[in-house]
Amino acid sequence: MAITINVFSQAFIDGVLEILKPPTTFLRDKFFVGDPELHEVDNIIVDIEVEGQKIAAIVSATDNPTRVARDSYSSNQVKTPKVLMFSELNPRDFMDTRQSGEAGITNVSDPKFKAKAQKELAKLLKKLQDMETRLEEWMAAQALLGGGWTATLPNGKKYTIDFQRPNTHTVTLTGDDKWDAPTTANPLNVIETKAQLISRAVSAQPTIVVMNRTTKQKLLAIESFTSALDNRRMNRGTVDTSKKELESGAKKFAEIDSFEFYEYDAQYTDYDGNSQLYVPDSKVIIGVEKFAGNVIHYGPIEDFEAMPDVRRKYFSKNWTEKMPSKWLLSFESHPLLAMHKPEAAVALDVY
């Protein structure tokens, strides 16, 4: 039978979740609107518009996903991915903190116990919340780079969504246009041409260009690009990057015409334990800053203790079990990053 240790109120846990500093979230914060949409039903209608026509996303949420096309706009309901994680504290986590000559923690009413428990709870909450935040950043990266994603969630299930971005918005450069041909490549011309695809499709001007450090070095070795910077008297060393952008993991390295160029080298660990770049080598994202069509949705929390306020970004609770004795902590969220107008981004493969 489970019992509750009355050390933490739900308000305390919610407060901890709000103040924990998240991992890098440059892509999510730069390209998606800031205020998320919180839903009280889990089947969200995701309006997708391509070439001025409303269409349906291709979505599947199964253990072995297959892409199933929706035949009509009216059936375009998307179930948010469920992120539900658990972690635990054990009695030994508190018993082994005693120093020589000191009295150890003897019971749950001891102030030392509460102080230690609060510290350990905050560490666990940060670990779980960071995992969910990295999933959101990964969703943003995959949506911008490929117009959709297949995510393996922490519970082992997979979730696939395809926003049906036109093929013209995923471009592989060839021949003399490739960025490993520094004397012939003309990256500004390519970026301006592809940006025009975006502005004509969504009536918004793309100004953000993102790549990782390796790709940036390729760009800065191209004669036409460095000449353009020199002609406009741009000094890369004095380009300002805001504190917020630096904290989110990105660095602005150039501004030219209406475009801001960012280096983003952040990594995550995939489901198999391998380190991956959010923006891989050779990939470049062109997009509209905080575009209104890029929306962060959160489905309702599926927990009795969250009711009636199920419209939340995330929810956590703690409880104990007697045998074996352990203190459990859960973290739940239902994030869905949706590109309602997927033509608002272009992805380049440049070498």
PDB file of all heavy atoms in Angstrom, residues 188-203:
ATOM      1  N   LEU A 188      25.228  33.144 -50.571  1.00  0.00           N
ATOM      2  CA  LEU A 188      24.242  34.204 -50.396  1.00  0.00           C
ATOM      3  C   LEU A 188      23.169  34.150 -51.469  1.00  0.00           C
ATOM      4  O   LEU A 188      21.980  34.359 -51.199  1.00  0.00           O
ATOM      5  CB  LEU A 188      24.920  35.570 -50.407  1.00  0.00           C
ATOM      6  CG  LEU A 188      25.481  36.068 -49.076  1.00  0.00           C
ATOM      7  CD1 LEU A 188      26.144  37.423 -49.264  1.00  0.00           C
ATOM      8  CD2 LEU A 188      24.392  36.135 -48.021  1.00  0.00           C
ATOM      9  N   ASN A 189      23.574  33.858 -52.680  1.00  0.00           N
ATOM     10  CA  ASN A 189      22.609  33.762 -53.772  1.00  0.00           C
ATOM     11  C   ASN A 189      21.628  32.617 -53.518  1.00  0.00           C
ATOM     12  O   ASN A 189      20.409  32.765 -53.718  1.00  0.00           O
ATOM     13  CB  ASN A 189      23.331  33.554 -55.097  1.00  0.00           C
ATOM     14  CG  ASN A 189      22.365  33.479 -56.264  1.00  0.00           C
ATOM     15  OD1 ASN A 189      21.646  34.423 -56.551  1.00  0.00           O
ATOM     16  ND2 ASN A 189      22.346  32.335 -56.940  1.00  0.00           N
ATOM     17  N   VAL A 190      22.159  31.476 -53.073  1.00  0.00           N
ATOM     18  CA  VAL A 190      21.296  30.331 -52.781  1.00  0.00           C
ATOM     19  C   VAL A 190      20.345  30.663 -51.639  1.00  0.00           C
ATOM     20  O   VAL A 190      19.135  30.388 -51.711  1.00  0.00           O
ATOM     21  CB  VAL A 190      22.146  29.092 -52.431  1.00  0.00           C
ATOM     22  CG1 VAL A 190      21.258  27.955 -51.913  1.00  0.00           C
ATOM     23  CG2 VAL A 190      22.946  28.625 -53.634  1.00  0.00           C
ATOM     24  N   ILE A 191      20.865  31.263 -50.563  1.00  0.00           N
ATOM     25  CA  ILE A 191      20.036  31.590 -49.402  1.00  0.00           C
ATOM     26  C   ILE A 191      18.939  32.582 -49.781  1.00  0.00           C
ATOM     27  O   ILE A 191      17.771  32.417 -49.404  1.00  0.00           O
ATOM     28  CB  ILE A 191      20.918  32.135 -48.265  1.00  0.00           C
ATOM     29  CG1 ILE A 191      21.774  31.008 -47.688  1.00  0.00           C
ATOM     30  CG2 ILE A 191      20.069  32.780 -47.170  1.00  0.00           C
ATOM     31  CD1 ILE A 191      22.860  31.476 -46.743  1.00  0.00           C
ATOM     32  N   GLU A 192      19.290  33.602 -50.556  1.00  0.00           N
ATOM     33  CA  GLU A 192      18.289  34.581 -50.965  1.00  0.00           C
ATOM     34  C   GLU A 192      17.215  33.952 -51.850  1.00  0.00           C
ATOM     35  O   GLU A 192      16.024  34.261 -51.725  1.00  0.00           O
ATOM     36  CB  GLU A 192      18.970  35.735 -51.687  1.00  0.00           C
ATOM     37  CG  GLU A 192      19.799  36.624 -50.771  1.00  0.00           C
ATOM     38  CD  GLU A 192      20.628  37.641 -51.536  1.00  0.00           C
ATOM     39  OE1 GLU A 192      20.704  37.515 -52.776  1.00  0.00           O
ATOM     40  OE2 GLU A 192      21.191  38.548 -50.903  1.00  0.00           O
ATOM     41  N   THR A 193      17.635  33.066 -52.750  1.00  0.00           N
ATOM     42  CA  THR A 193      16.679  32.408 -53.647  1.00  0.00           C
ATOM     43  C   THR A 193      15.717  31.517 -52.865  1.00  0.00           C
ATOM     44  O   THR A 193      14.497  31.542 -53.098  1.00  0.00           O
ATOM     45  CB  THR A 193      17.423  31.575 -54.700  1.00  0.00           C
ATOM     46  OG1 THR A 193      18.276  32.426 -55.465  1.00  0.00           O
ATOM     47  CG2 THR A 193      16.446  30.877 -55.621  1.00  0.00           C
ATOM     48  N   LYS A 194      16.250  30.727 -51.938  1.00  0.00           N
ATOM     49  CA  LYS A 194      15.401  29.818 -51.162  1.00  0.00           C
ATOM     50  C   LYS A 194      14.551  30.574 -50.156  1.00  0.00           C
ATOM     51  O   LYS A 194      13.422  30.174 -49.846  1.00  0.00           O
ATOM     52  CB  LYS A 194      16.263  28.764 -50.473  1.00  0.00           C
ATOM     53  CG  LYS A 194      17.072  27.898 -51.438  1.00  0.00           C
ATOM     54  CD  LYS A 194      16.215  27.310 -52.547  1.00  0.00           C
ATOM     55  CE  LYS A 194      17.042  26.547 -53.563  1.00  0.00           C
ATOM     56  NZ  LYS A 194      16.224  26.061 -54.717  1.00  0.00           N
ATOM     57  N   ALA A 195      15.086  31.673 -49.636  1.00  0.00           N
ATOM     58  CA  ALA A 195      14.288  32.488 -48.722  1.00  0.00           C
ATOM     59  C   ALA A 195      13.059  33.052 -49.419  1.00  0.00           C
ATOM     60  O   ALA A 195      12.007  33.246 -48.796  1.00  0.00           O
ATOM     61  CB  ALA A 195      15.145  33.614 -48.154  1.00  0.00           C
ATOM     62  N   GLN A 196      13.205  33.321 -50.706  1.00  0.00           N
ATOM     63  CA  GLN A 196      12.068  33.842 -51.466  1.00  0.00           C
ATOM     64  C   GLN A 196      10.935  32.817 -51.537  1.00  0.00           C
ATOM     65  O   GLN A 196       9.755  33.184 -51.563  1.00  0.00           O
ATOM     66  CB  GLN A 196      12.531  34.223 -52.872  1.00  0.00           C
ATOM     67  CG  GLN A 196      11.534  35.057 -53.644  1.00  0.00           C
ATOM     68  CD  GLN A 196      12.085  35.513 -54.978  1.00  0.00           C
ATOM     69  OE1 GLN A 196      12.593  34.722 -55.779  1.00  0.00           O
ATOM     70  NE2 GLN A 196      12.027  36.817 -55.222  1.00  0.00           N
ATOM     71  N   LEU A 197      11.281  31.514 -51.543  1.00  0.00           N
ATOM     72  CA  LEU A 197      10.247  30.475 -51.494  1.00  0.00           C
ATOM     73  C   LEU A 197       9.398  30.636 -50.240  1.00  0.00           C
ATOM     74  O   LEU A 197       8.175  30.478 -50.273  1.00  0.00           O
ATOM     75  CB  LEU A 197      10.891  29.081 -51.496  1.00  0.00           C
ATOM     76  CG  LEU A 197      11.551  28.577 -52.775  1.00  0.00           C
ATOM     77  CD1 LEU A 197      12.196  27.222 -52.519  1.00  0.00           C
ATOM     78  CD2 LEU A 197      10.521  28.468 -53.899  1.00  0.00           C
ATOM     79  N   ILE A 198      10.063  30.939 -49.133  1.00  0.00           N
ATOM     80  CA  ILE A 198       9.361  31.086 -47.863  1.00  0.00           C
ATOM     81  C   ILE A 198       8.472  32.323 -47.882  1.00  0.00           C
ATOM     82  O   ILE A 198       7.283  32.254 -47.553  1.00  0.00           O
ATOM     83  CB  ILE A 198      10.371  31.173 -46.703  1.00  0.00           C
ATOM     84  CG1 ILE A 198      11.183  29.874 -46.600  1.00  0.00           C
ATOM     85  CG2 ILE A 198       9.653  31.465 -45.382  1.00  0.00           C
ATOM     86  CD1 ILE A 198      12.307  29.934 -45.587  1.00  0.00           C
ATOM     87  N   SER A 199       9.045  33.466 -48.259  1.00  0.00           N
ATOM     88  CA  SER A 199       8.287  34.723 -48.198  1.00  0.00           C
ATOM     89  C   SER A 199       7.075  34.691 -49.113  1.00  0.00           C
ATOM     90  O   SER A 199       6.011  35.227 -48.780  1.00  0.00           O
ATOM     91  CB  SER A 199       9.198  35.901 -48.546  1.00  0.00           C
ATOM     92  OG  SER A 199       9.736  35.773 -49.853  1.00  0.00           O
ATOM     93  N   ARG A 200       7.202  34.058 -50.271  1.00  0.00           N
ATOM     94  CA  ARG A 200       6.065  33.977 -51.180  1.00  0.00           C
ATOM     95  C   ARG A 200       4.988  33.026 -50.667  1.00  0.00           C
ATOM     96  O   ARG A 200       3.801  33.228 -50.917  1.00  0.00           O
ATOM     97  CB  ARG A 200       6.536  33.533 -52.561  1.00  0.00           C
ATOM     98  CG  ARG A 200       7.314  34.615 -53.305  1.00  0.00           C
ATOM     99  CD  ARG A 200       7.811  34.124 -54.648  1.00  0.00           C
ATOM    100  NE  ARG A 200       8.443  35.197 -55.414  1.00  0.00           N
ATOM    101  CZ  ARG A 200       9.026  35.029 -56.599  1.00  0.00           C
ATOM    102  NH1 ARG A 200       9.059  33.814 -57.161  1.00  0.00           N
ATOM    103  NH2 ARG A 200       9.571  36.058 -57.227  1.00  0.00           N
ATOM    104  N   ALA A 201       5.405  31.995 -49.919  1.00  0.00           N
ATOM    105  CA  ALA A 201       4.443  30.991 -49.458  1.00  0.00           C
ATOM    106  C   ALA A 201       3.685  31.425 -48.214  1.00  0.00           C
ATOM    107  O   ALA A 201       2.487  31.138 -48.073  1.00  0.00           O
ATOM    108  CB  ALA A 201       5.164  29.672 -49.186  1.00  0.00           C
ATOM    109  N   VAL A 202       4.360  32.120 -47.290  1.00  0.00           N
ATOM    110  CA  VAL A 202       3.727  32.410 -46.003  1.00  0.00           C
ATOM    111  C   VAL A 202       3.627  33.904 -45.705  1.00  0.00           C
ATOM    112  O   VAL A 202       3.188  34.295 -44.626  1.00  0.00           O
ATOM    113  CB  VAL A 202       4.479  31.710 -44.852  1.00  0.00           C
ATOM    114  CG1 VAL A 202       4.510  30.205 -45.064  1.00  0.00           C
ATOM    115  CG2 VAL A 202       5.897  32.254 -44.685  1.00  0.00           C
ATOM    116  N   SER A 203       4.045  34.734 -46.654  1.00  0.00           N
ATOM    117  CA  SER A 203       3.964  36.195 -46.505  1.00  0.00           C
ATOM    118  C   SER A 203       4.681  36.692 -45.260  1.00  0.00           C
ATOM    119  O   SER A 203       4.201  37.578 -44.544  1.00  0.00           O
ATOM    120  CB  SER A 203       2.498  36.638 -46.472  1.00  0.00           C
ATOM    121  OG  SER A 203       1.844  36.274 -47.673  1.00  0.00           O
TER     122      SER A 203
END
